[in-house]
Amino acid sequence: MIGRPAAAAERLIVALDLAEVEPAAALARALRGSVGLVKVGLELFIAAGPAGVAHIAEAGVPVFLDLKLHDIPNTVAGAVRSAARLGAAMLTLHAAGGAAMIAAAREAAETAARPRPLLLAVTVLTSLEGPDLDAIGLAGPAEAAVLRLARLALAAGADGLVCSPREVAALRAAFGPDPVLVVPGIRPAGSLADDQRRTMTPAEAVAAGADWLVIGRPITRTPDPLAAARAIATSLAA
Ligand code: C5P
């Protein structure tokens, strides 16, 4: 299982939110040694499949497979085995799939491959607000649902959580230093405004207790992604 990041650069997970595998693999090659992992999400995975993931992995950067699994325990266990065989270093699943689903995922990860993928639970999607949560039956403040689902996921065997920067401090206060916290919604100081809201800078998120930072466009949509990644790592080391 991948260990917690030691150096600042290792904290960076670059989101390869692209539809085509070749530019994604080229980015991974360019960033090798200057970031901790690259993240492959649904768009790229559905376009390029396991062969695309294998191609990206050839760059030599560990791959975070962000597929947010959510199905019956037996199906998710099979998906985790397949992801482990692909060499995924991290994998996401929805805490709302329930304790049995997460326990089955953990057991599958333990038995499928060494080193096993780190299992990260997604609690409440940050795209959902009050009325959306009411509509899907998650009444009450979002923070309460986040804590409830986080507790369930960690007790059932998740290694950690994907969470927004604004949730990090509360999750650390509730669960201590053990759970791995992987945090998107990060914007380096001076970034251009985009669709991310309630962001934190890399240094703020780490100070709050984040282990890894998921950063996409502030690295990938710049003329020099390697320079952008290095500048972020430097801002963390300072
Ligand atoms: O380009 P940007 O830095 O916004 O990319 C952030 C990545 O993290 C994207 O892949 C996005 O899907 C993911 N993510 C997020 N917020 C969440 C969960 C995942 O931005 N709550």
Side-chain angles (χ1 to χ4, degrees):
M1 194 166 68
I2 190 165
R4 284 187 203 244
E10 291 172 21
R11 290 189 184 274
L12 307 184
I13 300 177
V14 179
L16 301 177
D17 289 325
L18 304 165
E20 290 178 26
V21 71
E22 207 37 67
L27 262 171
R29 287 193 294 272
L31 295 168
R32 177 185 179 174
S34 299
V35 301
L37 297 94
V38 290
K39 182 170 87 71
V40 173
L42 283 169
E43 180 182 13
L44 185 54
F45 185 77
I46 290 175
V53 174
H55 183 53
I56 290 166
E58 283 167 12
V61 187
V63 174
F64 172 5
L65 215 43
D66 184 16
L67 303 181
K68 298 188 177 68
L69 304 175
H70 190 172
D71 209 315
I72 61 171
N74 184 56
T75 300
V76 166
V80 170
R81 277 193 293 276
S82 294
R85 278 196 291 270
L86 252 181
M90 288 184 187
L91 195 56
T92 46
L93 63 179
H94 273 284
M101 185 199 84
I102 291 166
R106 175 66 181 260
E107 194 188 338
E110 300 271 2
T111 53
R114 287 288 179 274
R116 73 168 178 86
L118 201 86
L119 296 179
L120 299 170
V122 174
T123 57
V124 179
L125 293 171
T126 50
S127 50
L128 301 176
E129 293 180 322
D132 311 309
L133 294 171
D134 290 344
I136 60 168
L138 274 182
E143 301 74 44
V146 167
L147 285 173
R148 190 172 68 244
L149 287 164
R151 182 169 290 111
L152 174 155
L154 295 170
D159 299 295
L161 306 159
V162 179
C163 66
S164 102
R166 303 288 151 182
E167 294 161 358
V168 172
L171 290 167
R172 281 283 176 239
F175 304 112
D178 283 351
V180 167
L181 297 184
V182 173
V183 182
I186 301 296
R187 288 294 175 265
S191 289
L192 296 176
D194 54 35
D195 59 349
Q196 290 282 14
R197 300 285 176 269
R198 297 188 294 280
T199 59
M200 279 192 192
T201 68
E204 286 168 344
V206 169
D211 293 302
W212 274 281
L213 309 174
V214 178
I215 306 179
R217 290 161 289 177
I219 292 175
T220 60
R221 302 259 177 102
T222 56
D224 188 345
L226 178 59
R230 285 184 173 159
I232 293 170
T234 302
S235 79
L236 283 177

